[in-house]
Amino acid sequence: MSASAAAEQSSGGFLGWIERVGNKVPHPAIIFLALIVGVIVLSAVLAWADVSVTTEVAEPEDTPVSQEYNGGTSYPSLEHDPEVAIPEYTVRTETIEVESLLSGDGIRYIFTTAVQNFNDFGVVAVILVAMIGVGVAEEAGLIAALIRKMVQVAPAGAITFIIVLLGGISSVASDAGYLVLIPLGAAAFASLGRNPLVGIAAAYAGVSASFFVNVLITPADGIITEVTNEIMAGVAPDAAPLNVTHNFYFAVVSTLFTAAVMTVLTERYIEPRAGRWDPSERPADAPVDHVPTGDELSHESRGLRMAGIYSLVAIAIISALTFLPNAPLRNPETGEIFGNSPFMSSLLFIISMLFLAAGLGYGSGSGSLTGATNVINAIIKTFNGLGGLIFLMLLIAQFIAFFNYSNISNVVATQLADLLGQADIGALPLLIGFILLVVVIDMIMPGVIPKWAIIAPIFIPLFYNLGIAPQTLVAAYRVGDGPVNVITPLMVYLPFIILVCQRYRASAGMGTVISLMIPYTVVVLVTWTLLFTGWYLLEIPWGPGSPVQLD
């Protein structure tokens, strides 16, 4: 039975309705083209209607500076640091008007800034730099080999947690998680006499239900950070930009926390409910996953050893450039490492280079990447696969620039902030409401980046005007983004997962997968929201120098 036939059999009811509606959602590029046209037209209509909002802003007064001479001896007997001047602020009333993109100035802006908007959109550079290392490691086979090796050496009692945790970590290169770990999870469970469908469910939950958190800095972190900073530049130009570690503490804890929750759920509820697996359910012609043997295993082992050696050399070089006194990656003035320093500013590049070193080591040891030409071809292949994403970034850059120019976001955010401020329901209920909104949107738009690009221009100014830091909003977005991924019919890997299920149960279809995964969605969403709530109330920093509240 094909994946499409299985999907058709399970297309009734509410989930079938979601599938039919979702299948009518156009490509994200078409969505953003429509949004660009919508912003242009809406800005003209609102400007014609003289829509504006009046708000109060505080601005520091200009303070004249003059040299003071106190007299007395020129040899001071007491030395002390100068006191920091506290500026005086003046509150003034400001009117924000909607600017039409169909006016003379607006049309000139559209035509003259299209290239500059894309040039200033740092996301593309982040993607290309980050994917150099990850792409080489994945193309060499390192990610798949690591996943196989860790599953092989994992203790039988810890196999569920290892599979779920590996799924979370594999989001740094999502294809490996879906295409390697999910079949491997089924095989590992079957080899232990456990239900392979439960292994598929555990692996799928690990890869997807907490996709946007990791113990590593991922390319998605860099992209979301750049989009956020792009929007913040129009909201609070003087605010310090976020860096890729702004949610790092929360991401690491969330990865481990959700892995533990999904492990307990799998072993205490999913597996007992699924029951024992009957091998007779497996079709006679079911394909068998390729398992490396003989020379392949020896090449893989040699590749992993060389990857470890190359990684250690790279770490030693980075450590020397960072931790030695007066090292170039320290702050040249203060000497700090983990605050405002070149090390923190270059963290995504450093991680990419570590992946590159490991990938080169594995390719050299296993023979999967030999010679500089093959390495360059691996990078080119990775970049070729990013063509669609880069085109989407071009459209997103224009959408954000036009939206900022029109002042629609500022007007809407100010009005909503006034209404919510008068309602006085508190920041935490608003953040939980935002999480639930992201959950709903994720049913029809599972992608991390397109979804954030649409909602961020509205909600970043809104929450900033309510005193909620952008890093707090991104943390809430992470919570809402993941849990529904495992049940939305629009997940691009769902047909593949159905096919893997059919290797062990011929009658499996979309209903099989969705029914297995619904408990993960509900439990992960509830427990993760509780973790977020506790984190927020305790005001634990989301990452290095990234407080919960605005400074």
Side-chain angles (χ1 to χ4, degrees):
M1 182 186 297
S2 68
S4 59
E8 288 175 5
Q9 286 185 359
S10 305
S11 61
F14 174 71
L15 293 175
W17 178 80
I18 291 292
E19 181 182 7
R20 289 190 295 273
V21 171
N23 287 337
K24 295 179 181 178
V25 175
H27 190 282
I30 302 298
I31 293 175
F32 276 100
L33 280 171
L35 287 172
I36 289 171
V37 173
V39 166
I40 291 173
V41 174
L42 183 61
S43 69
V45 172
L46 295 179
W48 174 78
D50 290 329
V51 173
S52 63
V53 66
T54 301
T55 185
E56 293 183 340
V57 296
E59 289 188 344
E61 293 182 349
D62 293 333
T63 304
V65 178
S66 60
Q67 180 69 48
E68 293 186 1
Y69 297 95
N70 297 323
T73 176
S74 61
Y75 298 96
S77 59
L78 179 64
E79 294 182 357
H80 61 83
D81 294 332
E83 296 182 358
V84 178
I86 301 176
E88 296 288 337
Y89 283 84
T90 300
V91 177
R92 66 175 180 82
T93 300
E94 179 182 50
T95 299
I96 303 173
E97 300 177 343
V98 174
E99 298 289 343
S100 173
L101 283 158
L102 290 179
S103 65
D105 289 341
I107 292 173
R108 280 189 289 273
Y109 179 82
I110 292 173
F111 276 81
T112 60
T113 64
V115 175
Q116 194 62 39
N117 292 338
F118 189 49
N119 186 57
D120 293 341
F121 199 50
V123 174
V124 177
V126 169
I127 295 171
L128 296 178
V129 171
M131 292 307 296
I132 290 174
V134 175
V136 169
E138 192 169 8
E139 186 66 21
L142 171 63
I143 306 295
L146 278 174
I147 290 174
R148 280 194 294 268
K149 181 64 69 176
M150 294 188 73
V151 170
Q152 288 171 2
V153 302
I159 191 67
T160 305
F161 179 76
I162 296 297
I163 287 175
V164 174
L165 184 61
L166 278 176
I169 296 174
S170 72
S171 65
V172 71
S174 58
D175 285 352
Y178 288 103
L179 302 179
V180 177
L181 184 62
I182 289 175
L184 204 58
F189 268 58
S191 68
L192 296 171
R194 300 170 67 178
N195 193 323
L197 267 65
V198 177
I200 292 170
Y204 186 23
V207 174
S208 205
S210 56
F211 180 80
F212 193 28
V213 290
N214 206 312
V215 297
L216 304 172
I217 302 296
T218 69
D221 289 312
I223 295 170
I224 295 298
T225 299
E226 289 298 323
V227 171
T228 303
N229 287 336
E230 189 81 13
I231 296 166
M232 281 297 298
V235 177
D238 296 330
L242 302 184
N243 60 48
V244 291
T245 62
H246 63 271
N247 276 174
F248 183 65
Y249 299 156
F250 182 68
V252 171
V253 172
S254 293
T255 302
L256 300 175
F257 174 79
T258 54
V261 167
M262 288 186 277
T263 299
V264 172
L265 177 63
T266 300
E267 297 186 342
R268 299 291 179 85
Y269 179 76
I270 302 296
E271 192 163 15
R273 179 174 175 269
R276 294 186 61 83
W277 174 59
D278 183 358
S280 66
E281 296 178 339
R282 185 170 190 168
D285 59 348
V288 178
D289 295 315
H290 175 71
V291 178
T293 57
D295 289 343
E296 288 180 301
L297 279 177
S298 63
H299 290 160
E300 185 175 281
S301 297
R302 187 162 58 249
L304 289 172
R305 285 196 299 272
M306 292 303 295
I309 293 171
Y310 275 51
S311 297
L312 289 174
V313 171
I315 291 171
I317 294 172
I318 296 299
S319 297
L321 294 173
T322 305
F323 296 103
L324 292 177
N326 300 317
L329 294 183
R330 287 176 176 265
N331 185 306
E333 297 180 358
T334 65
E336 63 180 334
I337 296 173
F338 297 106
N340 179 20
S341 67
F343 173 76
M344 295 300 292
S345 300
S346 59
L347 195 55
L348 194 66
F349 174 75
I350 291 171
I351 291 173
S352 179
M353 293 302 100
L354 291 176
F355 269 103
L356 177 62
L360 292 175
Y362 183 85
S364 173
S366 67
S368 60
L369 282 182
T370 55
T373 300
N374 286 333
V375 174
I376 298 300
N377 287 337
I379 297 173
I380 292 173
K381 182 179 178 181
T382 300
F383 283 7
N384 286 340
L386 297 174
L389 182 59
I390 291 175
F391 175 63
L392 188 62
M393 293 299 104
L394 170 64
L395 299 178
I396 290 174
Q398 308 307 322
F399 169 69
I400 292 175
F402 295 169
F403 205 55
N404 287 339
Y405 176 88
S406 70
N407 280 334
I408 294 175
S409 60
N410 290 334
V411 171
V412 172
T414 303
Q415 290 279 29
L416 287 176
D418 289 343
L419 291 174
L420 293 173
Q422 293 170 8
D424 195 26
I425 62 175
L428 185 57
L430 291 175
L431 288 166
I432 294 175
F434 175 76
I435 290 172
L436 297 178
L437 174 65
V438 174
V439 166
V440 172
I441 297 174
D442 196 57
M443 283 294 294
I444 59 173
M445 187 177 285
V448 171
I449 298 165
K451 190 164 62 261
W452 181 245
I454 289 174
I455 64 178
I458 298 171
F459 287 96
I460 287 177
L462 169 61
F463 280 85
Y464 188 85
N465 289 339
L466 293 171
I468 298 174
Q471 60 264 25
T472 299
L473 190 64
V474 175
Y477 179 70
R478 293 176 191 270
V479 176
D481 173 73
V484 176
N485 286 339
V486 295
I487 63 170
T488 173
L490 302 182
M491 169 55 66
V492 294
Y493 291 101
L494 184 58
F496 170 75
I497 294 165
I498 293 172
L499 285 175
V500 177
C501 287
Q502 289 171 349
R503 296 176 187 176
Y504 299 92
R505 180 181 293 171
S507 61
M510 182 178 291
T512 306
V513 176
I514 299 299
S515 63
L516 276 172
M517 304 312 298
I518 283 177
Y520 290 101
T521 294
V522 175
V523 173
V524 171
L525 177 60
V526 171
T527 56
W528 201 358
T529 301
L530 290 174
L531 174 67
F532 173 86
T533 300
W535 197 293
Y536 179 86
L537 293 175
L538 293 174
E539 297 193 1
I540 304 170
W542 302 113
S546 184
V548 168
Q549 306 294 346
L550 284 173
D551 292 336

